[in-house]
Amino acid sequence: MDDELERLRWLTVDEIAAARRRAIKQLNLLDRSAADHAVTAAALERTMDLIGQVQTDRRHDR
């Protein structure tokens, strides 16, 4: 299992929501002309996907 996914699974609902908001904000503030834009955007999108996976798993576990 991925370390980041494992870390996210231990967060509370509020912490997950805050992490998602942070990732969205960082994605929106990215400098599109920066050399590492594609890599940084991909990493943030992966984080958001993992957060979505954790949220989905929690909904199905109820």
Side-chain angles (χ1 to χ4, degrees), residues 22-41:
R22 270 192 310 276
I24 291 170
K25 184 176 182 177
Q26 289 174 339
L27 192 57
N28 288 335
L29 294 175
L30 275 182
D31 180 5
R32 299 198 190 294
S33 64
D36 66 344
H37 174 267
V39 174
T40 305

Side-chain angles (χ1 to χ4, degrees), residues 10-21:
W10 284 98
L11 297 179
T12 66
V13 172
D14 290 337
E15 290 169 332
I16 286 279
R20 184 174 186 276
R21 285 191 302 273

Side-chain angles (χ1 to χ4, degrees), residues 34-54:
D36 66 344
H37 174 267
V39 174
T40 305
L44 289 169
E45 289 172 7
R46 180 178 183 279
T47 298
M48 289 175 43
D49 289 343
L50 291 174
I51 289 169
Q53 182 179 345
V54 169

